[in-house]
Structure formats: structure tokens, C-alpha cells
Amino acid sequence: MYQNFIGGRMTAASDAVANVNPSNTDDVIGEFARGTAADLDMAVSAARAAAPGWARSAVQDRHDILARAATELLARREELGRILSREEGKTLGEGIGEATRAAQVMDFFAGECLRTGGEMMPSTRPGVGVEISREPLGVIGMITPWNFPIAIPAWKIAPALAWGNCVVLKPAELAPHSAWMLVDILNRAGLPEGVLNLVMGKGSVVGQGMVEHSGIDGISFTGSVATGRGIAAGCVAAQPMKKVQLEMGGKNPFVVLDDADLEVAVNCALNGAFFSTGQRCTASSRLIVTEGIHDRFVAALTEQMRGLKIGDALAQNTDIGPVVDPGQLAQNRDYLEIGVREGARLMGGDLLKRNTPGHFMSPALFTDVTNDMRIAREEIFGPVAGVIRVRDYDEALAVANDTEFGLSAGIATTSLRHASDFKRNAEAGMVMVNLPTAGVDYHVPFGGRKASSYGAREQGAYAREFYTTVKTAYTKAG
Ligand code: ADP
């Protein structure tokens, strides 16, 4: 039984939910607490009580705690990767990679603790000086999804703590173990009690409760568009209004031009569309391919797809693990039917039987897709991609931008002119040239435009826009 962590101690909850391995539904990882409104109240009170002390703590202490956590995360990355893959279903290599990422994020923000500065400017008035400084926002509520169950909590918690905020974290119910481990590691690294609290439970209870809670100053959310919209509306309706940051869906285009290196294009598409079971908001779900390379690209991609091994996430040679749960699997399968009804041609997307009961499905590739089809417009969040044939670069760019989303956009080309034009004109927060749309660095901003994101960017030094509030102080000498 995994309990909530409130005010420095494990706190029993009245209800719990089983965390089940999607590679083997007979394998129950554990029972995880389901918090109530009362648990949330306790956590917010603990965070508020800790906030003044933590806001004034020495940056050296914050640095040391984050650095200690980074060291432990790195030392235990194989164990943490295994925990992650077991509960979420990404492969062990991907799980260990994500645990390593959490360590790198902690390490980066340990350094940021020491790099926080302000500005001094002359006033327009004689004898007056102006200082612009950054102060902690206060108590941050974090609502995180299941698809990056350690990296996303890490890249929200680390900057929050570095800039002197206290935290209440609510991870997704499908994959809470990784977040639980992260909170345990950070607290043992020396956080004062109440600075970092974990309240697991339902989005409609704990998540919604955070949005409405007057003791929370800001919400950082990653999840679906529909939930994000509700959270933004709730943050504005709350008294007082809350600062809010949302990272949501994508329908990311990957453009392949006639002049592309075919191998690079196919590897990027394969990775971007299908790795991590396509369960990444940066996944490439629209492959926009010019006529001259279209048939060669589809043939080579199909060939590569046939070679992928789909199976138990923890098995040594698995390339693609299971879909996270029965609901997501049913959604993927529904979209396959929708695509076929819309007139696209489907390859793959079969339910697979393995030695253990799990949610296994082969990657699915649609061809003859047009950009007005639902499979080209709506986020599926599974190992499903569609190929859209276009005449030339201009049409490719227009199709790439014709979407309500704007998270990541990629292009495979050897033309400097097209690469430069795409970097400039792709309507996305992140642009990749000869690289998959998914897979980002941790020291630079992450986020998108249009329906994909709302509010300040996450990650790197840019994260301070959300986690700090600006103060302008005027001083007249004497
Ligand atoms: P996903 O498709 O990733 O499950 P969701 O947006 O449903 O996307 O979930 C992301 C996070 O938001 C989860 O932690 C979930 O519990 C939480 N959540 C779901 N509904 C709400 C809500 N109404 N208010 C606040 N948080 C919610």
C-alpha cells in the first residue's frame, strides 16, 4: 500500500486503487492511496505553513537538496526505469532513459538555484533607483499525466523548488509509482516538511480541488486538451485567480521532401510515430510526404515497421511495449475504424496475443490520408500515423500548419532553403530538422502554440516565467 505524503509524513487515505502492469494485467504493482478533499486541504495547509521558510531558504541549501536527489536518481536509474516501464508500458530502455532524464533535470535546476538574479535600472526620476527581482509564486498545484510519470513531475517540481515554491503534486492514477518514488527521494534529500506534498487520487476530486483551492497560487498541468480547458477556466473563476500553465495535445506533422535522405526520414518517422507506443504529445502522427519520394518512403517505413518487436515492456528485445490501458486501446481501435470508413488505407493495427495478458497492438500506418479526415485532425495518442501525399514543399508547409495544434513540427530535407523556411514558418513551439518530432533536451524551453499549450514555457531557464513573480522596487536615496 503506497500512501500519500503530506507535511513530511506518509498519510493513510480511506480509499485506494490498484496500479496494474499493462504488459501483464495479472501483475498488480500495488495499491495506491486515493486522496479526498480533506487530504488535499491538509497538504495545502502543510505547504502554506512551509512556504515562508522555504522562500527565504539559502540557495545553497536548495542547490544541495536538488543535487542530492539528482545523485540518487542517477544511481537508481535502472531500478526506477524498471518501475516506470512496469506501470506505464514503455520499454525498459525508454524507462531507464526517462529516469536518467529526471536526474538531469534535478541537476540542471540545482545549478539554476545559484543563477537566479534580477536587474537594476535607473529610474526616470533623479536620485531614484529601480530593482527588478523575482520572488517565488507561492504554493503550486501540479497535475501530471501517465505518459512520462517521472520526467514530467521532475521538470515541474525541480524549478518550483529551485525558485522557492512549495508543491502539492497529483500524479495520474494510471502510473503513480514513479512519482511516489521521486517524492520519496526528494524528501529524503532534505526538504523541510511540507515543502513537497504528494496527494494521489482522481482528477475530478484532487485535481479539480486544487484548481478551486484558495491556498494554491498556481497550477501547472500536463494532460488532455479537454481537461486543460476546464482547468484554465477554473483558474480564472477561482478566488483569487490563479496563474496557470497548460501542456496539452499535439497532431504533430513530420514533412518528408523529395530531397530527404530516405534512411534519416524513415528512422525519424518510425521513432516519432511509434516509439513509446505513440503515447507522446510530441509524437509524429501526420507524415506529410512529397510525391517524388512518397512510394519509396512508404515502402521503406512499412518494411521497418514489420521488423519491430511488440511485447512485454520489461523484456530485453522489445521495441514497443503495450498500450497503457483498455480505454486507450479501445480509443486507438476506434480511430482505426474511423480512418478506414473515411477512405484511408490501413496497414497493421492488429491486436496481438503474447504470453501474458496485456494491451498489445501492432503499429498502424494509414496511407491515402487527407488532412481533413478525423484521423488527421484529432489526437489519437497511440501507435497510429497517417501518410498525407503532397505536391511540393509549399503544400507540405500549408498542410503541416493546417491543424488546431502547434507543439512540435519536423522536416526531413537536405535543402538548406527548405530547412530554413520550415524553421521560420512552421507554426509550432518546437521545430526539428532531420530529427524526430519527439525527443527534446532538458535545458531549453519546451512547449507549443495554439491548442497545444497555454501560459509560460516549461524547462530550462525559461521555466522561471511561471514559477516566479516579478517585483519592481523603487528606492530614493537618503
Ligand atoms: P490523459 O489522457 O493523459 O489521462 P487527462 O487530462 O485526463 O489526460 O489527465 C491528466 C491529468 O489530469 C491526470 O492527473 C488526471 O487525473 C487529471 N485530471 C483529470 N480530470 C481532471 C479535472 N477535471 N480537473 C483536474 N485534473 C483532472
Side-chain angles (χ1 to χ4, degrees):
M1 177 79 192
Y2 292 82
Q3 304 290 6
N4 286 324
F5 197 87
I6 299 173
R9 48 196 79 70
M10 295 295 159
T11 308
S14 48
D15 193 10
V17 63
N19 181 358
V20 176
N21 177 350
S23 299
N24 177 6
T25 54
D26 291 338
D27 175 27
V28 176
I29 295 158
E31 297 286 322
F32 285 75
R34 234 181 195 168
T36 59
D39 296 321
L40 176 62
D41 268 342
M42 253 195 314
V44 174
S45 298
R48 289 234 79 88
W54 185 244
R56 288 185 203 107
S57 61
V59 290
Q60 184 69 55
D61 292 343
R62 295 183 211 166
H63 165 277
D64 293 350
I65 291 167
L66 293 180
R68 269 197 295 277
T71 304
E72 182 169 343
L73 285 162
L74 199 62
R76 296 175 67 188
R77 65 185 186 274
E78 305 225 343
E79 174 199 353
L80 292 166
R82 182 166 285 277
I83 286 170
L84 200 167
S85 298
R86 186 175 167 208
E87 70 172 346
E88 198 270 351
K90 65 182 68 177
T91 64
L92 190 53
E94 290 169 329
I96 294 169
E98 190 182 327
T100 308
R101 173 57 55 100
Q104 292 165 331
V105 166
M106 287 298 147
D107 187 53
F108 176 84
F109 284 105
E112 281 301 282
C113 295
L114 307 176
R115 285 190 287 266
T116 305
E119 290 171 72
M120 290 178 76
M121 298 181 88
S123 165
T124 53
R125 288 165 281 173
V128 175
V130 182
E131 291 159 48
I132 303 162
S133 59
R134 297 212 170 236
E135 296 185 356
L137 185 58
V139 174
I140 316 286
M142 298 176 178
I143 303 172
T144 56
W146 48 261
N147 66 328
F148 286 93
I150 197 162
I152 293 178
W155 81 51
K156 292 184 191 299
I157 292 169
L161 298 179
W163 286 306
N165 299 280
C166 292
V167 174
V168 181
L169 169 69
K170 191 211 89 65
E173 284 208 298
L174 278 178
H177 195 190
S178 302
W180 194 95
M181 296 296 292
L182 178 68
V183 170
D184 177 55
I185 288 171
L186 272 160
N187 274 300
R188 282 190 295 93
L191 284 175
E193 65 183 44
V195 171
L196 172 60
N197 307 276
L198 175 74
V199 184
M200 298 176 286
K202 287 185 171 180
S204 57
V205 177
V206 183
Q208 186 62 31
M210 280 186 183
V211 171
E212 290 165 5
H213 207 294
S214 60
I216 288 185
D217 302 291
I219 298 282
S220 181
F221 166 83
T222 303
S224 63
V225 176
T227 306
R229 276 186 200 286
I231 287 175
C235 286
V236 172
Q239 192 55 262
M241 289 182 189
K242 288 183 177 52
K243 196 168 177 182
V244 61
Q245 170 183 66
L246 311 172
E247 287 301 341
M248 299 170 286
K251 195 73 197 173
N252 307 293
F254 186 72
V255 170
V256 179
L257 297 185
D258 286 356
D259 62 41
D261 178 318
L262 186 63
E263 198 180 324
V264 168
V266 168
N267 286 340
C268 289
L270 193 78
N271 175 318
F274 303 125
F275 284 13
S276 299
T277 324
Q279 297 173 155
R280 297 186 283 191
C281 48
T282 49
S284 321
S285 50
R286 294 183 301 139
L287 307 173
I288 301 166
V289 186
T290 48
E291 313 181 307
I293 197 170
H294 178 277
D295 293 356
R296 278 183 294 141
F297 172 79
V298 170
L301 180 59
T302 310
E303 180 65 29
Q304 292 281 336
M305 285 169 68
R306 288 209 183 91
L308 292 173
K309 295 198 177 54
I310 293 98
D312 191 319
L314 295 171
Q316 202 73 66
N317 57 357
T318 296
D319 295 310
I320 295 181
V323 173
V324 73
D325 78 338
Q328 184 64 53
L329 183 64
Q331 178 170 314
N332 297 349
R333 305 272 303 164
D334 284 349
Y335 273 108
L336 298 186
E337 267 180 38
I338 289 167
V340 170
R341 270 208 307 278
E342 288 179 309
R345 275 187 24 202
L346 173 64
M347 204 217 52
D350 305 308
L351 284 180
L352 301 176
K353 283 238 166 302
R354 292 292 179 262
N355 294 337
T356 50
H359 316 299
F360 300 109
M361 155 182 178
S362 66
L365 186 70
F366 280 112
T367 50
D368 295 338
V369 176
T370 55
N371 202 42
D372 55 354
M373 292 178 180
R374 282 183 63 195
I375 53 167
R377 306 213 76 82
E378 297 169 17
E379 185 176 49
I380 299 173
F381 221 65
V384 183
V387 179
I388 302 171
R389 184 198 293 256
V390 291
R391 270 187 321 278
D392 54 17
Y393 169 74
D394 290 336
E395 190 185 355
L397 177 67
V399 170
N401 287 339
D402 177 13
T403 169
E404 70 171 288
F405 296 104
L407 187 56
S408 181
I411 189 167
T413 180
T414 52
S415 151
L416 181 60
R417 188 163 68 84
H418 288 142
S420 305
D421 191 82
F422 192 76
K423 277 191 279 187
R424 189 177 171 85
N425 292 309
E427 293 167 5
M430 296 174 292
V431 180
M432 312 291 183
V433 178
N434 296 320
L435 289 165
T437 55
V440 297
D441 290 356
Y442 58 87
H443 64 307
V444 288
F446 176 95
R449 300 179 183 177
K450 303 202 261 183
S452 290
S453 301
Y454 181 78
R457 284 284 189 273
E458 298 199 84
Q459 303 206 49
Y462 281 65
R464 75 176 187 169
E465 289 308 324
F466 181 74
Y467 292 105
T468 62
T469 182
V470 170
K471 180 175 277 175
T472 314
Y474 296 81
T475 310
K476 187 168 167 75

